[in-house]
Amino acid sequence: AVVSTQSTGALEELRQHLEGELEKLRREDVEGLKREVLEKDQLIEELTLEGEKLAQSSFNSNNNVKKLRQKEKEDEKVIRDQGNRIGLLTKEIDTHKNTIKELKGKLSEGEKSTT
């Protein structure tokens, strides 16, 4: 009976020691998991901020492209209008040249007839 009491005491001591170790491992696991969750939360926050910056950059780029396309359309219209104006002015110059030729011709005919 003494041996069995000593065995029971040793087993109880071993059980308590193992429960303590188990509790220690659980605490370490919980702390490790908490650390991992904090690291992942930090990574998520960093990626979210980076995503927001990229979204803002993309938005700004899209707006710049829209503005440039609008400016290009305006410039094309100005070029078309100036081309039309050049065409009209060229016709007007040609008309004036013809008028000058006619006047020179009449003038030289008038000089010939007076001589």
Side-chain angles (χ1 to χ4, degrees):
V2 173
V3 170
S4 130
T5 306
Q6 286 177 345
S7 298
T8 305
L11 285 175
E12 180 61 27
E13 194 176 307
L14 180 60
R15 184 184 66 77
Q16 287 177 357
H17 174 73
L18 290 175
E19 283 180 353
E21 287 294 314
L22 183 59
E23 185 60 32
K24 181 181 170 189
L25 288 173
R26 284 183 182 146
R27 277 194 303 268
E28 288 174 0
D29 281 350
V30 167
E31 291 302 315
L33 289 173
K34 283 181 181 178
R35 255 191 321 276
E36 284 183 40
V37 167
L38 286 174
E39 289 171 3
K40 296 205 187 263
D41 283 348
Q42 184 179 0
L43 180 62
I44 289 169
E45 187 176 332
E46 290 171 3
L47 290 172
T48 300
L49 288 174
E50 186 177 338
E52 289 172 357
K53 287 178 185 175
L54 288 172
Q56 185 64 43
S57 175
S58 176
F59 176 76
N60 291 340
S61 295
N62 286 339
N63 279 344
N64 287 338
V65 167
K66 286 179 186 177
K67 288 176 185 176
L68 289 171
R69 285 185 180 147
Q70 182 61 37
K71 177 74 172 127
E72 182 181 31
K73 284 181 183 178
E74 292 170 3
D75 290 348
E76 287 173 355
K77 184 182 182 311
V78 167
I79 290 169
R80 254 191 332 272
D81 291 348
Q82 293 296 323
N84 292 340
R85 180 148 170 77
I86 288 170
L88 290 173
L89 291 173
T90 302
K91 285 181 184 177
E92 192 175 324
I93 288 170
D94 289 343
T95 302
H96 289 307
K97 282 181 181 178
N98 289 336
T99 303
I100 290 170
K101 267 187 191 176
E102 287 175 15
L103 291 173
K104 280 184 178 179
K106 287 181 182 178
L107 184 62
S108 63
E109 282 179 19
E111 287 178 355
K112 285 181 186 175
S113 62
T114 56
T115 52

